[in-house]
Amino acid sequence: MSAAVTLAAAGRSVLVVEGRDTVGGGTRTAELTLPGFRHDVCSAIHPLAAGSPYLSQLPLERYGLRWLQPELPLAHPLDGGRAGVLHRSVDETADGLGADAKAYRRWVGSIAERWDDLAPMVTGSLVKVPRHPLVLTRFGLPALVPASRAGRTWFSTDEAQALFAGCAAHAFLPLDHLLTTSFALVLLAAGHAVGWPVAAGGSQAIADALAAHLTELGGEIRTGELITSLAQLPPSRAVLLDLAPRQVADLAGDRLSERYRARLRQFSPGPAAFKVDYALSGPVPWTNVACRRAGTVHAGGTADEVAAGEAAIGAGRPPERPYVLVAQQSLVDPSRAPAGQHTLWAYCHVPNGSTFDMTERIEAQIERFAPGFRDLVLARHVAGPAWFESYNPSYVGGDIAGGAHRGLQLVFRPTISVRPYHTPDPTLFLCSASTPPGAGVHGMCGHHAANAALASVLA
Ligand SMILES: Cc1cc2nc3c(=O)[nH]c(=O)nc-3n(C[C@H](O)[C@H](O)[C@H](O)COP(=O)(O)OP(=O)(O)OC[C@H]3O[C@@H](n4cnc5c(N)ncnc54)[C@H](O)[C@@H]3O)c2cc1C
């Protein structure tokens, strides 16, 4: 959608073709459990959208998009009623981390201060020369370090280490991998700079606002047209594909060389998601009170436990005690559930293609930090890797992050190239989460791909 808006705003005539009956992709909202309970099917929490250099400058509020900021962006509970807590303010966060206050200000506060310079760098193509080398040095060198080492070296309290590890685990990687620290630093800094908001009414509001903006710019959207061959598309000067590399290889046929298609097929998917959505009769009774005020809760235990869970996935095993990402949108958005009742969004990582049912393990982790949680469950909707792949073929084996973040694939996506949005066919472009900067609702893959087309075949 952001590619389409970029092209339409540049005066090009644009057609968006969507396989399903509604637009939205990873930002749909639906009544998955009971009538009146509106669940975010995929994305829920939007620091990357609110902090996106592209989306944040579009007039999306004119088309109904409204960010709601939870009282606290994030809490990470520990046994005994303790928690590491991310506040909007760096000082409050640091002060809550006791002996780690100074270290938090040094490693995270200094980056949060420079968010406006950092955001374009981390959401750009990482192969570009940085515009602010000083910021990149302050962020980039520490960001390279594996999160397990950085967390242990920089912080000494369980709370700070767990808060840091929980954010690093968004990498979908074992925490002893290079660059896992970058995920923690970006997400923590974004929490201070732009918050971790939810979209009023549900994430669908993001796609709907983009669609309305596109239509007003003259773009056309056709839904319910699944593309299985590029021959189905009308003639055009350029085609941008928001698809996994494997789908591109299948669809493109001999518009792309066999060699390039083989490279696309070599692109490895990452671990998968296993998600449970709940309709609840009341708010989650977290033992730690900060967790009751936080939009997001990372229910994963200590940093060592989070690391062990992610390492198990790296070794192909579903974790015994998963690191569970929990979102409590209805705390801040009453439109998500009937009065007094709540929705809960929870998922954990599992190996790609896993068929193991994680429902019990996810609930055990929530119950561990919120005794009595199970008594509130009115209904649940369970979505494992196979469900995600059938929901959207781009989620290969249930991978919701557009491909593994291992090694060079984190930076060079989907092939090793300094022109990641181009293909050997000058009229065919890639714009999915398998291109830089990767997954997340930030619109930057599409925006960069559209600019690549505008600078070449659409010039
Ligand atoms: C469970 C889950 C939780 C997530 N949580 C967050 C979060 O909290 N915050 C965040 O920022 N990100 C989150 N994400 C990631 C985010 O949703 C995605 O990275 C983002 O939506 C990718 O956007 P996209 O437009 O590139 O692709 P998509 O959103 O996948 O859109 C691609 C569209 O193409 C359509 N399509 C696919 N194949 C075809 C075809 N052959 N023909 C026609 N149409 C086709 C699909 O139906 C889909 O609508 C989450 C994702 C999941 C699944």
Side-chain angles (χ1 to χ4, degrees), residues 17-20 25-26 28 42-45 48 225-227 242-243 247 275 345 347 388 392-393 395 400 432-433 439-441:
V17 184
E18 164 60 50
R20 296 180 74 89
R28 287 200 187 90
C42 299
S43 73
I45 304 295
L48 301 179
E225 282 188 34
L226 188 72
I227 301 301
D242 188 2
L243 301 172
Q247 290 170 284
K275 177 165 178 271
W345 171 107
Y347 81 91
F388 277 112
N392 182 342
Y395 298 148
I400 63 168
S432 73
V441 179

PDB file of all heavy atoms in Angstrom, residues 17-20 25-26 28 42-45 48 225-227 242-243 247 275 345 347 388 392-393 395 400 432-433 439-441, ligand 1:
ATOM      1  N   VAL A  17      -3.639  -4.978  -6.664  1.00  0.00           N
ATOM      2  CA  VAL A  17      -4.412  -6.219  -6.800  1.00  0.00           C
ATOM      3  C   VAL A  17      -4.198  -7.061  -5.544  1.00  0.00           C
ATOM      4  O   VAL A  17      -3.056  -7.426  -5.223  1.00  0.00           O
ATOM      5  CB  VAL A  17      -3.969  -7.013  -8.050  1.00  0.00           C
ATOM      6  CG1 VAL A  17      -4.851  -8.235  -8.220  1.00  0.00           C
ATOM      7  CG2 VAL A  17      -4.052  -6.129  -9.281  1.00  0.00           C
ATOM      8  N   GLU A  18      -5.278  -7.331  -4.832  1.00  0.00           N
ATOM      9  CA  GLU A  18      -5.224  -8.069  -3.551  1.00  0.00           C
ATOM     10  C   GLU A  18      -5.978  -9.388  -3.709  1.00  0.00           C
ATOM     11  O   GLU A  18      -7.105  -9.407  -4.217  1.00  0.00           O
ATOM     12  CB  GLU A  18      -5.848  -7.200  -2.450  1.00  0.00           C
ATOM     13  CG  GLU A  18      -6.234  -7.919  -1.168  1.00  0.00           C
ATOM     14  CD  GLU A  18      -5.060  -8.604  -0.455  1.00  0.00           C
ATOM     15  OE1 GLU A  18      -4.031  -7.957  -0.253  1.00  0.00           O
ATOM     16  OE2 GLU A  18      -5.193  -9.812  -0.142  1.00  0.00           O
ATOM     17  N   GLY A  19      -5.348 -10.478  -3.260  1.00  0.00           N
ATOM     18  CA  GLY A  19      -5.950 -11.800  -3.423  1.00  0.00           C
ATOM     19  C   GLY A  19      -7.165 -12.031  -2.549  1.00  0.00           C
ATOM     20  O   GLY A  19      -8.091 -12.755  -2.932  1.00  0.00           O
ATOM     21  N   ARG A  20      -7.183 -11.432  -1.366  1.00  0.00           N
ATOM     22  CA  ARG A  20      -8.304 -11.670  -0.458  1.00  0.00           C
ATOM     23  C   ARG A  20      -9.405 -10.643  -0.696  1.00  0.00           C
ATOM     24  O   ARG A  20      -9.257  -9.729  -1.500  1.00  0.00           O
ATOM     25  CB  ARG A  20      -7.824 -11.656   0.992  1.00  0.00           C
ATOM     26  CG  ARG A  20      -6.843 -12.814   1.255  1.00  0.00           C
ATOM     27  CD  ARG A  20      -6.373 -12.818   2.669  1.00  0.00           C
ATOM     28  NE  ARG A  20      -7.410 -13.277   3.572  1.00  0.00           N
ATOM     29  CZ  ARG A  20      -7.620 -14.548   3.908  1.00  0.00           C
ATOM     30  NH1 ARG A  20      -6.839 -15.484   3.414  1.00  0.00           N
ATOM     31  NH2 ARG A  20      -8.579 -14.875   4.742  1.00  0.00           N
ATOM     32  N   GLY A  25      -3.671  -7.239   4.628  1.00  0.00           N
ATOM     33  CA  GLY A  25      -2.503  -8.092   4.848  1.00  0.00           C
ATOM     34  C   GLY A  25      -2.250  -8.265   6.332  1.00  0.00           C
ATOM     35  O   GLY A  25      -3.144  -8.655   7.091  1.00  0.00           O
ATOM     36  N   GLY A  26      -1.034  -7.930   6.749  1.00  0.00           N
ATOM     37  CA  GLY A  26      -0.638  -8.094   8.149  1.00  0.00           C
ATOM     38  C   GLY A  26      -1.259  -7.084   9.092  1.00  0.00           C
ATOM     39  O   GLY A  26      -0.911  -7.052  10.276  1.00  0.00           O
ATOM     40  N   ARG A  28      -4.786  -6.675   9.403  1.00  0.00           N
ATOM     41  CA  ARG A  28      -6.250  -6.839   9.450  1.00  0.00           C
ATOM     42  C   ARG A  28      -6.744  -6.976  10.889  1.00  0.00           C
ATOM     43  O   ARG A  28      -6.006  -7.424  11.773  1.00  0.00           O
ATOM     44  CB  ARG A  28      -6.680  -8.075   8.662  1.00  0.00           C
ATOM     45  CG  ARG A  28      -6.576  -7.889   7.160  1.00  0.00           C
ATOM     46  CD  ARG A  28      -7.430  -8.892   6.404  1.00  0.00           C
ATOM     47  NE  ARG A  28      -7.170  -8.778   4.973  1.00  0.00           N
ATOM     48  CZ  ARG A  28      -6.228  -9.472   4.346  1.00  0.00           C
ATOM     49  NH1 ARG A  28      -5.465 -10.327   4.997  1.00  0.00           N
ATOM     50  NH2 ARG A  28      -6.038  -9.311   3.053  1.00  0.00           N
ATOM     51  N   CYS A  42      -2.893 -10.058  12.793  1.00  0.00           N
ATOM     52  CA  CYS A  42      -1.420 -10.121  12.764  1.00  0.00           C
ATOM     53  C   CYS A  42      -0.867  -9.000  13.635  1.00  0.00           C
ATOM     54  O   CYS A  42      -0.873  -9.110  14.842  1.00  0.00           O
ATOM     55  CB  CYS A  42      -0.906 -10.035  11.332  1.00  0.00           C
ATOM     56  SG  CYS A  42      -1.490 -11.381  10.277  1.00  0.00           S
ATOM     57  N   SER A  43      -0.438  -7.888  13.013  1.00  0.00           N
ATOM     58  CA  SER A  43       0.254  -6.862  13.801  1.00  0.00           C
ATOM     59  C   SER A  43      -0.700  -6.160  14.760  1.00  0.00           C
ATOM     60  O   SER A  43      -1.888  -5.996  14.478  1.00  0.00           O
ATOM     61  CB  SER A  43       0.908  -5.846  12.877  1.00  0.00           C
ATOM     62  OG  SER A  43      -0.069  -5.022  12.312  1.00  0.00           O
ATOM     63  N   ALA A  44      -0.117  -5.730  15.896  1.00  0.00           N
ATOM     64  CA  ALA A  44      -0.922  -5.121  16.953  1.00  0.00           C
ATOM     65  C   ALA A  44      -0.311  -3.828  17.478  1.00  0.00           C
ATOM     66  O   ALA A  44      -1.019  -2.874  17.788  1.00  0.00           O
ATOM     67  CB  ALA A  44      -1.053  -6.111  18.109  1.00  0.00           C
ATOM     68  N   ILE A  45       1.010  -3.820  17.607  1.00  0.00           N
ATOM     69  CA  ILE A  45       1.708  -2.745  18.327  1.00  0.00           C
ATOM     70  C   ILE A  45       2.601  -2.015  17.326  1.00  0.00           C
ATOM     71  O   ILE A  45       3.371  -2.662  16.609  1.00  0.00           O
ATOM     72  CB  ILE A  45       2.558  -3.347  19.474  1.00  0.00           C
ATOM     73  CG1 ILE A  45       1.654  -4.175  20.404  1.00  0.00           C
ATOM     74  CG2 ILE A  45       3.292  -2.266  20.253  1.00  0.00           C
ATOM     75  CD1 ILE A  45       0.595  -3.373  21.156  1.00  0.00           C
ATOM     76  N   LEU A  48       6.878   1.009  14.956  1.00  0.00           N
ATOM     77  CA  LEU A  48       7.536   1.181  13.651  1.00  0.00           C
ATOM     78  C   LEU A  48       6.687   2.006  12.703  1.00  0.00           C
ATOM     79  O   LEU A  48       7.222   2.740  11.869  1.00  0.00           O
ATOM     80  CB  LEU A  48       7.850  -0.192  13.037  1.00  0.00           C
ATOM     81  CG  LEU A  48       8.753  -1.086  13.886  1.00  0.00           C
ATOM     82  CD1 LEU A  48       8.979  -2.422  13.197  1.00  0.00           C
ATOM     83  CD2 LEU A  48      10.092  -0.405  14.160  1.00  0.00           C
ATOM     84  N   GLU A 225      -8.690 -11.053  -6.102  1.00  0.00           N
ATOM     85  CA  GLU A 225      -8.027 -11.529  -7.331  1.00  0.00           C
ATOM     86  C   GLU A 225      -6.672 -12.110  -6.974  1.00  0.00           C
ATOM     87  O   GLU A 225      -5.673 -11.393  -6.918  1.00  0.00           O
ATOM     88  CB  GLU A 225      -7.827 -10.375  -8.316  1.00  0.00           C
ATOM     89  CG  GLU A 225      -9.076 -10.005  -9.058  1.00  0.00           C
ATOM     90  CD  GLU A 225      -8.808  -8.991 -10.179  1.00  0.00           C
ATOM     91  OE1 GLU A 225      -7.737  -9.038 -10.807  1.00  0.00           O
ATOM     92  OE2 GLU A 225      -9.693  -8.147 -10.390  1.00  0.00           O
ATOM     93  N   LEU A 226      -6.633 -13.387  -6.689  1.00  0.00           N
ATOM     94  CA  LEU A 226      -5.363 -14.032  -6.356  1.00  0.00           C
ATOM     95  C   LEU A 226      -4.538 -14.192  -7.634  1.00  0.00           C
ATOM     96  O   LEU A 226      -5.027 -14.738  -8.625  1.00  0.00           O
ATOM     97  CB  LEU A 226      -5.624 -15.401  -5.718  1.00  0.00           C
ATOM     98  CG  LEU A 226      -4.379 -16.061  -5.156  1.00  0.00           C
ATOM     99  CD1 LEU A 226      -3.917 -15.354  -3.882  1.00  0.00           C
ATOM    100  CD2 LEU A 226      -4.624 -17.543  -4.882  1.00  0.00           C
ATOM    101  N   ILE A 227      -3.317 -13.703  -7.595  1.00  0.00           N
ATOM    102  CA  ILE A 227      -2.469 -13.764  -8.788  1.00  0.00           C
ATOM    103  C   ILE A 227      -1.607 -15.033  -8.731  1.00  0.00           C
ATOM    104  O   ILE A 227      -0.864 -15.240  -7.765  1.00  0.00           O
ATOM    105  CB  ILE A 227      -1.565 -12.505  -8.865  1.00  0.00           C
ATOM    106  CG1 ILE A 227      -2.428 -11.230  -8.899  1.00  0.00           C
ATOM    107  CG2 ILE A 227      -0.632 -12.573 -10.055  1.00  0.00           C
ATOM    108  CD1 ILE A 227      -3.402 -11.145 -10.054  1.00  0.00           C
ATOM    109  N   ASP A 242       4.548  -7.551  -3.681  1.00  0.00           N
ATOM    110  CA  ASP A 242       4.619  -7.596  -2.209  1.00  0.00           C
ATOM    111  C   ASP A 242       4.486  -9.065  -1.793  1.00  0.00           C
ATOM    112  O   ASP A 242       3.498  -9.466  -1.180  1.00  0.00           O
ATOM    113  CB  ASP A 242       3.489  -6.733  -1.623  1.00  0.00           C
ATOM    114  CG  ASP A 242       3.597  -6.571  -0.115  1.00  0.00           C
ATOM    115  OD1 ASP A 242       4.562  -7.099   0.463  1.00  0.00           O
ATOM    116  OD2 ASP A 242       2.712  -5.929   0.474  1.00  0.00           O
ATOM    117  N   LEU A 243       5.473  -9.863  -2.157  1.00  0.00           N
ATOM    118  CA  LEU A 243       5.393 -11.318  -2.002  1.00  0.00           C
ATOM    119  C   LEU A 243       6.709 -11.874  -1.473  1.00  0.00           C
ATOM    120  O   LEU A 243       7.768 -11.253  -1.618  1.00  0.00           O
ATOM    121  CB  LEU A 243       5.135 -11.972  -3.373  1.00  0.00           C
ATOM    122  CG  LEU A 243       3.861 -11.563  -4.119  1.00  0.00           C
ATOM    123  CD1 LEU A 243       3.883 -12.146  -5.520  1.00  0.00           C
ATOM    124  CD2 LEU A 243       2.623 -12.024  -3.361  1.00  0.00           C
ATOM    125  N   GLN A 247       7.433 -17.028  -3.804  1.00  0.00           N
ATOM    126  CA  GLN A 247       6.246 -16.759  -4.625  1.00  0.00           C
ATOM    127  C   GLN A 247       6.638 -15.981  -5.879  1.00  0.00           C
ATOM    128  O   GLN A 247       6.091 -16.220  -6.953  1.00  0.00           O
ATOM    129  CB  GLN A 247       5.238 -15.904  -3.860  1.00  0.00           C
ATOM    130  CG  GLN A 247       4.533 -16.587  -2.726  1.00  0.00           C
ATOM    131  CD  GLN A 247       3.772 -15.525  -1.944  1.00  0.00           C
ATOM    132  OE1 GLN A 247       4.368 -14.764  -1.191  1.00  0.00           O
ATOM    133  NE2 GLN A 247       2.485 -15.446  -2.164  1.00  0.00           N
ATOM    134  N   LYS A 275       0.083 -18.355  17.559  1.00  0.00           N
ATOM    135  CA  LYS A 275      -0.640 -17.235  18.185  1.00  0.00           C
ATOM    136  C   LYS A 275      -1.974 -17.706  18.757  1.00  0.00           C
ATOM    137  O   LYS A 275      -2.642 -18.551  18.175  1.00  0.00           O
ATOM    138  CB  LYS A 275      -0.886 -16.173  17.110  1.00  0.00           C
ATOM    139  CG  LYS A 275      -1.681 -14.954  17.557  1.00  0.00           C
ATOM    140  CD  LYS A 275      -1.522 -13.833  16.525  1.00  0.00           C
ATOM    141  CE  LYS A 275      -2.302 -12.593  16.859  1.00  0.00           C
ATOM    142  NZ  LYS A 275      -3.657 -12.605  16.337  1.00  0.00           N
ATOM    143  N   TRP A 345      -4.056 -10.610  22.891  1.00  0.00           N
ATOM    144  CA  TRP A 345      -3.334 -11.070  21.696  1.00  0.00           C
ATOM    145  C   TRP A 345      -2.028 -11.644  22.212  1.00  0.00           C
ATOM    146  O   TRP A 345      -1.322 -10.952  22.961  1.00  0.00           O
ATOM    147  CB  TRP A 345      -3.155  -9.827  20.852  1.00  0.00           C
ATOM    148  CG  TRP A 345      -2.312  -9.756  19.625  1.00  0.00           C
ATOM    149  CD1 TRP A 345      -2.751  -9.689  18.339  1.00  0.00           C
ATOM    150  CD2 TRP A 345      -0.877  -9.610  19.548  1.00  0.00           C
ATOM    151  NE1 TRP A 345      -1.692  -9.517  17.474  1.00  0.00           N
ATOM    152  CE2 TRP A 345      -0.535  -9.468  18.195  1.00  0.00           C
ATOM    153  CE3 TRP A 345       0.145  -9.584  20.489  1.00  0.00           C
ATOM    154  CZ2 TRP A 345       0.784  -9.307  17.749  1.00  0.00           C
ATOM    155  CZ3 TRP A 345       1.455  -9.434  20.054  1.00  0.00           C
ATOM    156  CH2 TRP A 345       1.756  -9.305  18.694  1.00  0.00           C
ATOM    157  N   TYR A 347       1.425 -14.304  21.208  1.00  0.00           N
ATOM    158  CA  TYR A 347       2.060 -15.298  20.349  1.00  0.00           C
ATOM    159  C   TYR A 347       3.465 -15.593  20.834  1.00  0.00           C
ATOM    160  O   TYR A 347       4.052 -14.825  21.612  1.00  0.00           O
ATOM    161  CB  TYR A 347       2.042 -14.897  18.867  1.00  0.00           C
ATOM    162  CG  TYR A 347       3.099 -13.929  18.391  1.00  0.00           C
ATOM    163  CD1 TYR A 347       4.318 -14.399  17.889  1.00  0.00           C
ATOM    164  CD2 TYR A 347       2.886 -12.559  18.389  1.00  0.00           C
ATOM    165  CE1 TYR A 347       5.281 -13.520  17.409  1.00  0.00           C
ATOM    166  CE2 TYR A 347       3.849 -11.677  17.916  1.00  0.00           C
ATOM    167  CZ  TYR A 347       5.044 -12.158  17.431  1.00  0.00           C
ATOM    168  OH  TYR A 347       5.992 -11.287  16.961  1.00  0.00           O
ATOM    169  N   PHE A 388      -1.139 -19.662   9.516  1.00  0.00           N
ATOM    170  CA  PHE A 388      -0.603 -18.403   8.966  1.00  0.00           C
ATOM    171  C   PHE A 388      -0.275 -18.540   7.487  1.00  0.00           C
ATOM    172  O   PHE A 388      -0.556 -17.644   6.694  1.00  0.00           O
ATOM    173  CB  PHE A 388       0.637 -17.941   9.762  1.00  0.00           C
ATOM    174  CG  PHE A 388       0.257 -17.184  11.000  1.00  0.00           C
ATOM    175  CD1 PHE A 388       0.482 -17.705  12.257  1.00  0.00           C
ATOM    176  CD2 PHE A 388      -0.372 -15.960  10.907  1.00  0.00           C
ATOM    177  CE1 PHE A 388       0.090 -17.023  13.398  1.00  0.00           C
ATOM    178  CE2 PHE A 388      -0.767 -15.257  12.038  1.00  0.00           C
ATOM    179  CZ  PHE A 388      -0.530 -15.787  13.291  1.00  0.00           C
ATOM    180  N   ASN A 392      -1.950 -16.280   4.524  1.00  0.00           N
ATOM    181  CA  ASN A 392      -1.177 -15.419   3.620  1.00  0.00           C
ATOM    182  C   ASN A 392       0.024 -16.215   3.128  1.00  0.00           C
ATOM    183  O   ASN A 392       0.915 -16.535   3.918  1.00  0.00           O
ATOM    184  CB  ASN A 392      -0.728 -14.164   4.386  1.00  0.00           C
ATOM    185  CG  ASN A 392       0.053 -13.190   3.519  1.00  0.00           C
ATOM    186  OD1 ASN A 392       0.550 -13.547   2.453  1.00  0.00           O
ATOM    187  ND2 ASN A 392       0.186 -11.957   3.984  1.00  0.00           N
ATOM    188  N   PRO A 393       0.068 -16.564   1.839  1.00  0.00           N
ATOM    189  CA  PRO A 393       1.156 -17.415   1.340  1.00  0.00           C
ATOM    190  C   PRO A 393       2.550 -16.808   1.526  1.00  0.00           C
ATOM    191  O   PRO A 393       3.560 -17.519   1.424  1.00  0.00           O
ATOM    192  CB  PRO A 393       0.820 -17.601  -0.145  1.00  0.00           C
ATOM    193  CG  PRO A 393      -0.374 -16.770  -0.441  1.00  0.00           C
ATOM    194  CD  PRO A 393      -0.914 -16.194   0.825  1.00  0.00           C
ATOM    195  N   TYR A 395       3.654 -15.941   4.314  1.00  0.00           N
ATOM    196  CA  TYR A 395       4.148 -16.442   5.596  1.00  0.00           C
ATOM    197  C   TYR A 395       4.602 -17.895   5.422  1.00  0.00           C
ATOM    198  O   TYR A 395       3.956 -18.830   5.887  1.00  0.00           O
ATOM    199  CB  TYR A 395       3.061 -16.335   6.666  1.00  0.00           C
ATOM    200  CG  TYR A 395       2.582 -14.927   6.970  1.00  0.00           C
ATOM    201  CD1 TYR A 395       1.260 -14.684   7.347  1.00  0.00           C
ATOM    202  CD2 TYR A 395       3.447 -13.854   6.896  1.00  0.00           C
ATOM    203  CE1 TYR A 395       0.815 -13.401   7.632  1.00  0.00           C
ATOM    204  CE2 TYR A 395       3.010 -12.557   7.173  1.00  0.00           C
ATOM    205  CZ  TYR A 395       1.697 -12.342   7.540  1.00  0.00           C
ATOM    206  OH  TYR A 395       1.278 -11.058   7.820  1.00  0.00           O
ATOM    207  N   ILE A 400       6.524 -15.057   9.937  1.00  0.00           N
ATOM    208  CA  ILE A 400       5.811 -13.777   9.776  1.00  0.00           C
ATOM    209  C   ILE A 400       6.772 -12.611   9.584  1.00  0.00           C
ATOM    210  O   ILE A 400       6.351 -11.466   9.526  1.00  0.00           O
ATOM    211  CB  ILE A 400       4.903 -13.504  11.000  1.00  0.00           C
ATOM    212  CG1 ILE A 400       5.739 -13.355  12.283  1.00  0.00           C
ATOM    213  CG2 ILE A 400       3.867 -14.618  11.149  1.00  0.00           C
ATOM    214  CD1 ILE A 400       4.963 -12.808  13.459  1.00  0.00           C
ATOM    215  N   SER A 432       8.336  -6.522  -0.642  1.00  0.00           N
ATOM    216  CA  SER A 432       7.785  -7.167   0.550  1.00  0.00           C
ATOM    217  C   SER A 432       8.754  -7.043   1.729  1.00  0.00           C
ATOM    218  O   SER A 432       9.837  -6.466   1.622  1.00  0.00           O
ATOM    219  CB  SER A 432       7.518  -8.642   0.270  1.00  0.00           C
ATOM    220  OG  SER A 432       8.745  -9.329   0.198  1.00  0.00           O
ATOM    221  N   ALA A 433       8.351  -7.648   2.849  1.00  0.00           N
ATOM    222  CA  ALA A 433       9.193  -7.643   4.051  1.00  0.00           C
ATOM    223  C   ALA A 433      10.473  -8.460   3.848  1.00  0.00           C
ATOM    224  O   ALA A 433      11.332  -8.479   4.725  1.00  0.00           O
ATOM    225  CB  ALA A 433       8.403  -8.199   5.229  1.00  0.00           C
ATOM    226  N   ALA A 439      10.620  -6.929   8.080  1.00  0.00           N
ATOM    227  CA  ALA A 439       9.218  -6.988   8.526  1.00  0.00           C
ATOM    228  C   ALA A 439       8.864  -5.836   9.457  1.00  0.00           C
ATOM    229  O   ALA A 439       9.719  -5.180  10.046  1.00  0.00           O
ATOM    230  CB  ALA A 439       8.969  -8.304   9.231  1.00  0.00           C
ATOM    231  N   GLY A 440       7.550  -5.631   9.587  1.00  0.00           N
ATOM    232  CA  GLY A 440       7.039  -4.577  10.461  1.00  0.00           C
ATOM    233  C   GLY A 440       6.161  -3.649   9.650  1.00  0.00           C
ATOM    234  O   GLY A 440       6.310  -3.536   8.424  1.00  0.00           O
ATOM    235  N   VAL A 441       5.241  -3.008  10.350  1.00  0.00           N
ATOM    236  CA  VAL A 441       4.325  -2.096   9.674  1.00  0.00           C
ATOM    237  C   VAL A 441       4.965  -0.708   9.670  1.00  0.00           C
ATOM    238  O   VAL A 441       4.743   0.091  10.572  1.00  0.00           O
ATOM    239  CB  VAL A 441       2.959  -2.093  10.394  1.00  0.00           C
ATOM    240  CG1 VAL A 441       2.001  -1.137   9.712  1.00  0.00           C
ATOM    241  CG2 VAL A 441       2.378  -3.504  10.415  1.00  0.00           C
TER     242      VAL A 441
HETATM  243  C1  LIG B   1       1.144 -12.610  14.115  1.00  0.00           C
HETATM  244  C2  LIG B   1       1.849 -11.392  13.598  1.00  0.00           C
HETATM  245  C3  LIG B   1       2.162 -10.378  14.471  1.00  0.00           C
HETATM  246  C4  LIG B   1       2.798  -9.236  14.002  1.00  0.00           C
HETATM  247  N1  LIG B   1       2.997  -8.204  14.888  1.00  0.00           N
HETATM  248  C5  LIG B   1       3.483  -7.036  14.422  1.00  0.00           C
HETATM  249  C6  LIG B   1       3.462  -5.893  15.252  1.00  0.00           C
HETATM  250  O1  LIG B   1       2.945  -5.932  16.379  1.00  0.00           O
HETATM  251  N2  LIG B   1       4.001  -4.735  14.763  1.00  0.00           N
HETATM  252  C7  LIG B   1       4.516  -4.656  13.493  1.00  0.00           C
HETATM  253  O2  LIG B   1       5.009  -3.576  13.103  1.00  0.00           O
HETATM  254  N3  LIG B   1       4.509  -5.732  12.659  1.00  0.00           N
HETATM  255  C8  LIG B   1       3.986  -6.904  13.085  1.00  0.00           C
HETATM  256  N4  LIG B   1       3.881  -7.976  12.243  1.00  0.00           N
HETATM  257  C9  LIG B   1       4.516  -7.910  10.917  1.00  0.00           C
HETATM  258  C10 LIG B   1       3.701  -7.127   9.893  1.00  0.00           C
HETATM  259  O3  LIG B   1       2.346  -7.467   9.960  1.00  0.00           O
HETATM  260  C11 LIG B   1       4.241  -7.391   8.485  1.00  0.00           C
HETATM  261  O4  LIG B   1       5.636  -7.294   8.444  1.00  0.00           O
HETATM  262  C12 LIG B   1       3.650  -6.394   7.489  1.00  0.00           C
HETATM  263  O5  LIG B   1       2.237  -6.435   7.516  1.00  0.00           O
HETATM  264  C13 LIG B   1       4.136  -6.697   6.086  1.00  0.00           C
HETATM  265  O6  LIG B   1       3.453  -5.839   5.219  1.00  0.00           O
HETATM  266  P1  LIG B   1       3.404  -6.094   3.667  1.00  0.00           P
HETATM  267  O7  LIG B   1       2.496  -5.098   3.075  1.00  0.00           O
HETATM  268  O8  LIG B   1       4.784  -6.196   3.124  1.00  0.00           O
HETATM  269  O9  LIG B   1       2.811  -7.555   3.482  1.00  0.00           O
HETATM  270  P2  LIG B   1       1.426  -8.143   3.875  1.00  0.00           P
HETATM  271  O10 LIG B   1       0.850  -7.392   5.003  1.00  0.00           O
HETATM  272  O11 LIG B   1       1.665  -9.609   4.019  1.00  0.00           O
HETATM  273  O12 LIG B   1       0.531  -7.864   2.592  1.00  0.00           O
HETATM  274  C14 LIG B   1       0.649  -8.636   1.430  1.00  0.00           C
HETATM  275  C15 LIG B   1      -0.725  -8.763   0.810  1.00  0.00           C
HETATM  276  O13 LIG B   1      -0.599  -9.478  -0.410  1.00  0.00           O
HETATM  277  C16 LIG B   1      -1.689 -10.381  -0.526  1.00  0.00           C
HETATM  278  N5  LIG B   1      -1.231 -11.474  -1.378  1.00  0.00           N
HETATM  279  C17 LIG B   1      -0.317 -12.439  -1.103  1.00  0.00           C
HETATM  280  N6  LIG B   1      -0.160 -13.245  -2.159  1.00  0.00           N
HETATM  281  C18 LIG B   1      -0.959 -12.767  -3.140  1.00  0.00           C
HETATM  282  C19 LIG B   1      -1.212 -13.157  -4.469  1.00  0.00           C
HETATM  283  N7  LIG B   1      -0.585 -14.193  -5.041  1.00  0.00           N
HETATM  284  N8  LIG B   1      -2.128 -12.450  -5.214  1.00  0.00           N
HETATM  285  C20 LIG B   1      -2.763 -11.366  -4.687  1.00  0.00           C
HETATM  286  N9  LIG B   1      -2.551 -10.944  -3.408  1.00  0.00           N
HETATM  287  C21 LIG B   1      -1.656 -11.642  -2.658  1.00  0.00           C
HETATM  288  C22 LIG B   1      -1.973 -10.830   0.893  1.00  0.00           C
HETATM  289  O14 LIG B   1      -3.313 -11.286   1.015  1.00  0.00           O
HETATM  290  C23 LIG B   1      -1.707  -9.545   1.671  1.00  0.00           C
HETATM  291  O15 LIG B   1      -2.889  -8.786   1.841  1.00  0.00           O
HETATM  292  C24 LIG B   1       3.185  -9.128  12.647  1.00  0.00           C
HETATM  293  C25 LIG B   1       2.845 -10.141  11.743  1.00  0.00           C
HETATM  294  C26 LIG B   1       2.146 -11.243  12.211  1.00  0.00           C
HETATM  295  C27 LIG B   1       1.677 -12.278  11.215  1.00  0.00           C
END
